[in-house]
Structures are given as C-alpha cells and as structure tokens.
Amino acid sequence: MSSDVVELILADHRKFEDLFRELRSSEGDRRTALGDLSALLVAHAQAEETEVYPTLRKSSQVDDEEVEHGAEEHAEGHEALLDLLEVDEPGGDSWDEKLEQLSETITHHLDEEERTILNDARATVTQQRRDELGEAFLRSRQHYLDKDCGRIEYVRELVRESQS
C-alpha cells in the first residue's frame, strides 16, 4: 500500500462509497455497515483536520479557503451521520431519508476535496512530503479508531463542539 496521503485519502473515499452501497441494500447487516462507516468517517475526518489540513495550510501550496471549507463540510457530515445513527430501525422511511442526506453530504464533500485539495496537493506537494503526511494520517486515523470514535456519544460531542 502506498504511503502517499493523497492515495490513502482516496482509498478511504472509495471505502465510503462501498459502505453506502451496503447501507442501501436490504441484504446484509446494515447496523454493522453503519458502525463501520461511522468509525471510518469520523477517524478519517479527524486525521485530516489534525494532520493533513494544518500542514497543507502552512505550506501555502493548497488554497486556504478550500482547506477551511473542507473542515466545515466535515462538521456537516458529522451532523448528518448523527441523524442516521439516531434512527431506530434500518430500512424504514426515516432511515432512507437520513441515509440519503448523509450520502449527499459526504459525496459532495468527497467530490470537492478530490477536485481541489487533493489535486492541489498532488500538483504542489513533493512525493516525500506526501508520504510523510500519509504516515501521519494513518497514525492519527488509527488513534481515533482505537478511541472507538464511531460511537454515537463521540459523534454527538463532535456535533456539539462544531455548533458552539
């Protein structure tokens, strides 16, 4: 596996898409898929915000506004994730509605991040630096996964913090 931060982030993005397909399917364990999505989504966003975005912002090689916008979209994603986590039963109308809201929010963010921040990073940040950032991203993401960051209580706290 590559240690290039851009490739690692893109791999997570494809995993999110796979998990959304699982969540839409009436076959399989939707609660398990939601737990997997919640953990990876939160850990991914936290790692980007603690390791990747600050470094890209400092380097002045990636647009500051895009980095700030990416962090704002993480907060929106956490709110939509919390809404879905609070639905009692997978498969009902409320589940479908909240799942689509989350999917649209995340898909929008992934598209923008890939077209702006990641393309800029690929074009302007050296391979060595992207590899260093990738290693830091993986360590940070694992740290959050180890904290069980996908729990509803953890997501609630993230939403509270972003609203204050």
Side-chain angles (χ1 to χ4, degrees):
M1 177 183 263
S2 171
S3 59
D4 182 330
V5 70
V6 173
E7 297 306 317
L8 293 169
I9 290 172
L10 290 172
D12 278 0
H13 288 183
R14 303 299 74 86
K15 180 65 177 171
F16 298 147
E17 293 165 354
D18 292 343
L19 288 165
F20 278 121
R21 278 190 285 281
E22 284 183 48
L23 289 165
R24 287 187 182 101
S25 173
S26 60
E27 300 173 7
D29 185 351
R30 289 176 170 175
R31 278 283 165 208
T32 298
L34 179 56
D36 293 346
L37 176 68
S38 182
L40 184 59
L41 195 59
V42 171
H44 174 96
Q46 296 287 98
E48 282 184 339
E49 289 182 28
T50 59
E51 298 297 332
V52 180
Y53 287 1
T55 300
L56 295 178
R57 180 179 275 138
K58 282 183 209 167
S59 72
S60 299
Q61 296 169 321
V62 173
D63 188 290
D64 233 13
E65 281 183 33
E66 291 300 335
V67 170
E68 186 64 35
H69 185 66
E72 290 168 4
E73 288 184 341
H74 286 165
E76 291 170 9
H78 293 146
E79 288 179 33
L81 174 61
L82 180 59
D83 287 345
L84 183 60
L85 288 169
E86 290 177 336
V87 173
D88 290 331
E89 278 303 310
D93 289 343
S94 183
W95 170 273
D96 291 342
E97 176 187 328
K98 301 299 183 188
L99 176 58
E100 283 314 303
Q101 288 173 350
L102 176 60
S103 177
E104 288 174 15
T105 299
I106 299 304
T107 300
H108 170 83
H109 170 67
L110 302 183
D111 178 60
E112 278 193 359
E113 185 175 69
E114 289 175 16
R115 284 184 297 108
T116 58
I117 296 170
L118 298 182
N119 276 341
D120 287 351
R122 189 179 276 134
T124 62
V125 178
T126 67
Q127 183 65 56
Q128 178 181 349
R129 189 65 184 125
R130 289 196 321 262
D131 288 342
E132 292 166 358
L133 268 176
E135 291 168 13
F137 171 78
L138 285 176
R139 277 191 308 276
S140 180
R141 187 181 67 169
Q142 189 60 53
H143 165 78
Y144 288 104
L145 288 170
D146 291 345
K147 289 175 64 170
D148 198 16
C149 65
R151 289 177 296 111
I152 193 169
E153 298 83 10
Y154 194 96
V155 177
R156 273 192 189 115
E157 184 57 32
L158 288 174
V159 169
R160 257 194 302 274
E161 288 173 8
S162 73
Q163 293 173 342
S164 56

